[in-house]
Structure formats: C-alpha cells, structure tokens
Amino acid sequence: MENILVIGCAGQIGTELTMELKKIYGNEHVIGTDINKIPSVIAVNGPHETLDILDKKALQKIVRKYKIDGIVNLAAILSAVGEKNPLLAWDVNMNGLINVFEVARQENVQRVLTPSSIAVFGPETPQENTPQETILRPKTMYGITKVAGELLGDYYVEKYGMDIRGLRYPGIISHEALPGGGTTDYAVAIYYDAIKHKKYTSFVKADTVLPMMYMPDCLSATIQLFRADKKNLKHHGDYNLAAMSFTVEELAQSIKKHIPEFEIEYKPDHRQAIADTWPKSIDDSAAREEWGWQHKYDLDKMTKDMLVNLQAKYDKNLI
Ligand code: NAD
Ligand code: AKB
C-alpha cells in the first residue's frame, strides 16, 4: 500500500480529505501534518506530526520516516488573510511549495497534488464560462502565488519528469471545519448564522456571483485526480473545476425554503473588491474529459445537507 503525506491536514479541506484518504489507503498509510493542532479525528486515527512547511529538513525527515509515495499539500494562506499579510502568503504559498517539490524530487516521491484556485484569474479574464487556457493576471497576493505555483509545478514536470497535479478549486462549502480566511467564506458563514441566529450580514453584495462547490464533490474531485491514470492527463497543476454558481441572494433564498424567517443584510467590505476580480462561472471540460470529473451537488441539494448537519451540531452545542 502507498504511504500518503497530507500537509495542512487541520484546515477546512484537510480535515475531511485526510479521513477520506484513510478510507482508501488505510489509517496507518495516511500521515496528517500541520503547523497547527491536529484535529482529534485525525490524531486518534493513525500517524500524525506537527510540521511547518517552511522547515525543509523536518519535511524531508517525515518523508523518509514514513517512506512517503505521494504528497497532498494543502498548507496555504488564503485570499483575505493573504491581503492582510502578503509576505506571509508569499512565504507559505511559494517557499513552502518549493520545499515540497524539492523534497519530493530528492526523495523520489512519485506524485504531488497541490491545489490551485479560481484566484488565479483576474479582471482581464473572461468572467463567464472562464476557459481552461486564458489570461492569468490576478490582483491578490494569494492569486499571484497560485499562478506562480502552477508554473513552478510545470517546471518540475518538464525539468525533472515529476508527476505534479492540481485543481483550481472554486469556493468550497462545508460543515466540518471552518474555512481559513478566504473571500468565499461568506457562503459557509451564512449557513452557520442561519442555524444560530436566523440572520446573516453578508460582506459581499447581493448580486455577487462566484463559482462554488460542496465538500463531498471537492473530496471526490481531489481523490479522482490524485488517483487518475497519468497517461490520460494532458494538464498538470491547473485543472479548472466547477460545480455551481449563484448570487448571495439566491443562496439566501435557498436557505429560506427551510428557514422561512431567515433574514439577510448586506455590508460589503474589502473582500468585495477581491470577489469582483474572480470569474462568475468556469469551463471545466478538460477535467471532465481527461479524468471523468462529474459533480453531484447543486445549490438546493447542498443547502438541505448543510442545514441538516449544522442543526445536528447546534443541537449538541458543538457550534
Ligand atoms: P485552510 O486555511 O482551511 O487550511 C490551510 C492549513 O494550512 C491550515 O490547517 C493551516 O494551519 C496550515 N498551514 C498554514 N501555514 C502552514 C505552515 N507554515 N506549515 C504547515 N501548515 C500550515 O485552507 P483550505 O481551505 O483547507 O485550503 C487547502 C488548499 O486548497 C489551499 O491550497 C487553498 O489555496 C486551496 N483552495 C481552497 C479553497 C476553499 O474554498 N477552501 C478554494 C480554492 C483553493
Ligand atoms: C478564497 O476565497 O481565498 C478561497 C479560494 C477561492 O481560493 N476560498
């Protein structure tokens, strides 16, 4: 069985992806690492380590210790936090990433998956049905690091023949772990506030449309690409990926179908300017053609599932 290292396992995606990978590879074969506290569900289910991605020696030691065959790198500083601390975003997203690629190269790790984002696009990019190959001129430090990360991955593929894969995730919506400081966080917070307070104040305008995806689809896409037959892949670290797009008002209406008294108000802040530079919808036909990507969740199906799960947590005083 292959041994898989997850870096950034304590984040919104890592918390769930690590457990999904354990179902496939076995608890002992998936090693969760993070600079922050390892979630208890991961800590009680197999090996785990505290790791700062900027500490290359420590990363190399872990790769050797567990005889790692594949790395999933989820450690990153996201768009909103990245605008508050651009140098930290550069450091973690670029110097951390090159550490991963270098250690993988030196230790002959077969495969690395490192996600990109819709943040690679910018105001000059076509906003509707954004093509796979298009203008990449982002305005955030986060977006700049994601474009550079894609190019760096291509460099390691071309120069060293490595197998590096990645997807441009849209905003990910989930109920297990909270998002880590992105612009699309409103699409998660709205559900928590709907359950807890029956009202939400949105930090982007009512008509803001962004591409989004429910976590079960994000997990399927990531695992599908990670395990896809290399010979079918024409792209590397930059697959466009999509499921649904909706305005904040449409999201609120979807919640009102279950909580009729739910109210929303709008107080746009600095994150509006970031959202305005990102696409409204994405053409992900390359992912669908090359590795069979298909999403399962639309807005209403996701809303129903989010509210059921968050209500259960609320009833147990977990949120
Ligand atoms: P997150 O912020 O929730 O989690 C990131 C994790 O990285 C955290 O647990 C954090 O502790 C860890 N980390 C930060 N600095 C570190 C360091 N120096 N060393 C080791 N770990 C460190 O992010 P996420 O939403 O889980 O995102 C995972 C990946 O997916 C990132 O590459 C992100 O850019 C990408 N992505 C996420 C979304 C989304 O909506 N969640 C959308 C597009 C792309
Ligand atoms: C963010 O908003 O920063 C992330 C992303 C879309 O990359 N959720």
Side-chain angles (χ1 to χ4, degrees):
M1 186 56 83
E2 287 178 300
N3 295 315
I4 311 298
L5 178 68
V6 181
I7 307 172
C9 77
Q12 185 195 7
I13 297 171
T15 302
E16 296 195 50
L17 184 62
T18 306
M19 295 311 295
E20 281 303 302
L21 289 167
K22 282 176 183 287
K23 284 184 201 159
I24 297 167
Y25 294 94
N27 280 350
E28 299 307 310
H29 294 281
V30 178
I31 295 88
T33 69
D34 203 289
I35 195 171
N36 280 323
K37 188 171 180 283
I38 306 292
S40 51
V41 65
I42 296 173
V44 299
N45 278 297
H48 52 90
E49 303 267 355
T50 299
L51 172 70
D52 180 351
I53 197 174
L54 296 172
D55 186 344
K56 190 175 161 207
K57 281 210 171 79
L59 172 59
Q60 190 156 33
K61 213 169 142 190
I62 289 173
V63 166
R64 284 183 185 165
K65 176 176 171 188
Y66 294 101
K67 299 185 172 49
I68 294 299
D69 302 293
I71 300 179
V72 177
N73 171 35
L74 302 170
I77 303 298
L78 276 67
S79 58
V81 175
E83 285 314 284
K84 291 221 165 87
N85 198 340
L87 293 186
L88 177 68
W90 179 268
D91 212 14
V92 174
N93 301 0
M94 294 311 310
N95 294 326
L97 184 62
I98 204 162
N99 281 348
V100 173
F101 289 158
E102 269 301 289
V103 169
R105 180 182 72 78
Q106 287 162 3
E107 301 301 321
N108 293 314
V109 173
Q110 291 163 23
R111 214 169 347 143
V112 177
L113 185 143
T114 187
S116 187
S117 162
I118 54 165
V120 294
F121 304 117
E124 292 105 335
T125 310
Q127 281 200 322
E128 301 285 354
N129 214 21
T130 300
Q132 177 70 45
E133 312 300 339
T134 187
I135 302 164
L136 303 179
R137 297 186 66 80
K139 296 295 173 207
T140 60
M141 178 58 92
Y142 173 64
I144 291 167
T145 64
K146 288 296 178 187
V147 174
E150 289 182 2
L151 294 174
L152 192 62
D154 285 350
Y155 181 83
Y156 274 78
V157 170
E158 296 295 328
K159 193 164 174 80
Y160 302 113
M162 287 172 62
D163 183 356
I164 289 166
R165 306 177 181 194
L167 330 84
R168 293 170 177 158
Y169 289 142
I172 305 300
I173 297 167
S174 66
H175 53 77
E176 276 300 318
L178 287 167
T183 304
T184 58
D185 292 13
Y186 67 85
V188 179
I190 192 172
Y191 287 107
Y192 279 77
D193 281 11
I195 292 290
K196 291 202 281 193
H197 311 298
K198 314 286 179 235
K199 62 178 184 202
Y200 178 64
T201 304
S202 172
F203 60 75
V204 292
K205 290 185 286 185
D207 61 355
T208 305
V209 186
L210 286 174
M212 299 283 178
M213 177 176 284
Y214 195 31
M215 184 62 88
D217 278 337
C218 170
L219 299 177
S220 308
T222 310
I223 288 171
Q224 228 179 315
L225 177 61
F226 189 61
R227 292 167 64 80
D229 192 337
K230 193 180 169 198
K231 71 176 185 327
N232 297 332
L233 303 180
K234 298 190 188 81
H235 296 80
H236 305 294
D238 60 355
Y239 281 98
N240 275 7
L241 187 73
M244 55 183 133
S245 291
F246 45 77
T247 64
V248 190
E249 184 53 31
E250 286 164 342
L251 175 54
Q253 288 304 330
S254 177
I255 291 172
K256 270 181 194 251
K257 289 179 192 165
H258 302 269
I259 307 175
E261 66 274 35
F262 176 66
E263 286 173 15
I264 184 160
E265 60 172 348
Y266 297 93
K267 288 194 183 151
D269 68 14
H270 59 282
R271 289 167 282 191
Q272 183 70 52
I274 300 177
D276 289 345
T277 67
W278 289 354
K280 297 186 191 311
S281 59
I282 301 284
D283 174 0
D284 63 353
S285 42
R288 290 178 193 261
E289 280 157 25
E290 290 175 35
W291 44 275
W293 163 238
Q294 280 185 318
H295 69 279
K296 290 206 177 77
Y297 283 85
D298 62 13
L299 174 56
D300 283 338
K301 196 171 167 194
M302 171 178 72
T303 295
K304 198 172 163 206
D305 201 59
M306 279 292 286
L307 293 177
V308 166
N309 280 287
L310 288 177
Q311 185 65 53
K313 278 183 142 181
Y314 184 73
D315 292 344
K316 291 181 198 151
N317 286 324
L318 294 173
I319 59 168

